[in-house]
Amino acid sequence: MRNHTLTSLVAHLPVDTIDNHHPLPYEFGQVDTAQTNYYFQAIRAMLLDDEVASDVELRHATAMTIPFIISGSDADVTFAKQVLDDFDLDDLMEQMLRATEFGFQPIEMFWEKQDGLYVPVNSEPKRPEQFRLKKDGSVFYANYTYQMQSPPMGKIISVVRDQSSERPYGKSVLESLWAIWQSKWISWANIERLGEKYAIPSVAALVPSATSQDQLGAVAENLAPIENGSSVALAGVSDVKMLTVSGKVTELLEIITAIDTKISKTITGQTLTSNTQAHGSRALGEVHERAAMRISMKDAKMVFKHLNKTLFKWIFEFNNRPGKIKISVDKEKYQELVDKVTSDSSVEKIELSDVKGSEHLCIL
């Protein structure tokens, strides 16, 4: 498959793509059907890069290994387990982690009434550019007439990474890679152009100007087998030139390798899992793995925070039942995981189904 060139991916994007990417809340109702959101277009372009995509996936996978605990009263945890018994909580958490690369990730929830209880049955990530946030955290979406309207309560979980008053829609981890990534794509485009040069015939025949088209065709046909080492006799040819292609492919590949290392370090906090790392020590590996764990801890806390504000509240409110549960990092088991990060042993997450009795509970 032919690579996308720089022109087709990024050349038409404005300079302020990364900074001015999302309308502020006071612009509700001003959505234009022809509007293009360059911020998310730039992110999706970067996600076409196999290095970026694999590093983002690795960051998600590491965050999913952070041990957590569900805390609450015995009755509340038991009820939550009953409501969430058939719901894939891990799948929802992985979808929420997409806020890492997009900054803002809405998740649509699907509910059903089973045995007298309202239970979540599925979740689906939505395109963030179709949603707007109010200052109180509530969300609007663009309907089929491109007007903003509020979804029913419990329908949308809005996950925002590094939210602030200046950045109400959060910040993508890929923002700092935008400039360097464009340099990488320029290098790939140059390699592509070199490849096109290699398609040029390796020999050219110089013939008298009076040569007819039929004679030129015969000369070209006779030149065809010359790369196989066959002997060729040419009539009406004054000279034969050998064509060579020059290009600094090695230098371009070295630039790409260096940029891939920067990409890996920015997204995952380490480079040892990248094919760009030629050598390293065990001590260096431990440092890099610990850095990756700290980054993943922050991503996990982002997911836990939004679960506590949304789904874990809704399962009680929708069923008209008082109660409260909370998901948080199991700090003791997390420390064990960090201490043993270079060993083969692993620490499993504490799922709702694992919570039995009061031994795992923290009464709120």
Side-chain angles (χ1 to χ4, degrees):
M1 182 178 69
R2 181 184 178 89
N3 284 335
H4 294 283
T5 62
L6 179 70
T7 301
S8 65
L9 279 179
V10 300
H12 59 289
L13 299 182
V15 177
D16 62 348
T17 289
I18 287 297
D19 294 328
N20 303 319
H21 66 282
H22 215 300
L24 295 175
Y26 63 80
E27 293 182 81
F28 293 150
Q30 298 183 17
V31 177
D32 186 352
T33 58
Q35 183 181 13
T36 300
N37 193 303
Y38 293 111
Y39 182 80
F40 296 111
Q41 184 175 340
I43 289 175
R44 291 190 173 94
M46 284 189 279
L47 289 172
L48 291 174
D49 188 314
D50 57 348
E51 179 67 34
V52 175
S54 61
D55 287 336
V56 167
E57 183 64 28
L58 176 62
R59 179 163 174 157
H60 290 182
T62 308
M64 291 296 293
T65 67
I66 300 297
F68 61 78
I69 187 169
I70 307 293
S71 56
S73 68
D74 288 340
D76 290 346
V77 172
T78 300
F79 176 76
K81 178 183 180 302
Q82 180 183 1
V83 173
L84 299 174
D85 189 42
D86 294 328
F87 179 70
D88 193 338
L89 186 61
D90 281 351
D91 191 36
L92 171 61
M93 292 168 67
E94 289 182 9
Q95 294 168 0
M96 296 172 74
L97 284 169
R98 292 179 59 171
T100 303
E101 59 265 30
F102 288 105
F104 168 54
Q105 179 60 62
I107 308 291
E108 183 177 5
M109 297 296 301
F110 299 89
W111 299 77
E112 289 182 0
K113 193 169 186 179
Q114 300 177 1
D115 300 328
L117 294 175
Y118 287 98
V119 301
V121 293
N122 194 21
S123 59
E124 179 180 310
K126 311 301 291 185
R127 295 179 66 87
E129 54 265 49
Q130 299 298 324
F131 292 81
R132 306 288 183 268
L133 289 174
K134 291 179 65 177
K135 291 182 179 179
D136 62 2
S138 57
V139 66
F140 284 77
Y141 70 97
N143 61 17
Y144 64 94
T145 61
Y146 291 92
Q147 295 178 339
M148 304 309 295
Q149 73 179 63
S150 179
M153 187 184 76
K155 189 60 175 173
I156 298 293
I157 297 177
S158 299
V159 187
V160 188
R161 176 183 178 271
D162 289 347
Q163 187 178 32
S164 65
S165 57
E166 294 183 350
R167 300 294 299 268
Y169 293 93
K171 182 178 180 181
S172 167
V173 70
L174 301 182
E175 285 190 19
S176 59
L177 294 174
W178 175 239
I180 191 68
W181 181 83
Q182 290 185 87
S183 299
K184 175 181 177 179
W185 217 254
I186 290 173
S187 298
W188 275 122
N190 288 333
I191 291 177
E192 183 178 287
R193 283 190 283 271
L194 286 175
E196 292 175 350
K197 289 183 179 180
Y198 282 118
I200 298 174
S202 58
V203 291
L206 302 181
V207 298
S209 59
T211 304
S212 67
Q213 290 295 322
D214 291 339
Q215 290 174 321
L216 287 176
V219 170
E221 185 176 351
N222 288 332
L223 281 175
I226 199 170
E227 291 199 15
N228 295 330
S230 302
S231 59
V232 178
L234 299 175
V237 175
S238 59
D239 194 9
V240 175
K241 299 291 186 182
M242 297 298 298
L243 303 181
T244 60
V245 178
S246 61
K248 298 183 178 181
V249 178
T250 302
E251 288 83 350
L252 291 173
L253 290 175
E254 289 176 353
I255 292 173
I256 292 173
T257 298
I259 294 176
D260 280 345
T261 300
K262 292 179 180 293
I263 290 174
S264 179
K265 188 173 182 179
T266 299
I267 298 177
T268 67
Q270 51 88 31
T271 58
L272 293 183
T273 56
S274 171
N275 58 7
T276 61
Q277 188 70 22
H279 56 81
S281 64
R282 173 169 178 170
L284 180 62
E286 291 180 3
V287 171
H288 283 201
E289 289 296 331
R290 288 170 186 263
M293 290 297 296
R294 284 194 293 270
I295 291 175
S296 299
M297 165 82 106
K298 183 178 180 181
D299 292 345
K301 284 184 175 180
M302 172 189 72
V303 171
F304 299 162
K305 172 185 175 182
H306 287 87
L307 279 176
N308 290 331
K309 293 193 305 182
T310 56
L311 180 63
F312 285 180
K313 288 180 59 178
W314 295 339
I315 59 177
F316 291 96
E317 294 177 359
F318 286 1
N319 291 291
N320 197 26
R321 184 187 186 284
K324 183 178 182 180
I325 62 170
K326 178 181 179 181
I327 183 172
S328 58
V329 176
D330 188 327
K331 295 181 179 179
E332 181 179 345
K333 291 190 176 294
Y334 172 76
Q335 189 58 48
E336 292 178 5
L337 184 62
V338 172
D339 293 340
K340 300 178 181 179
V341 72
T342 57
S343 68
D344 293 332
S345 60
S346 60
V347 179
E348 296 182 355
K349 295 180 295 182
I350 302 177
E351 305 285 1
L352 277 174
S353 58
D354 298 328
V355 180
K356 300 178 181 178
S358 60
E359 57 180 350
H360 297 301
L361 301 182
C362 174
I363 307 301
L364 302 181

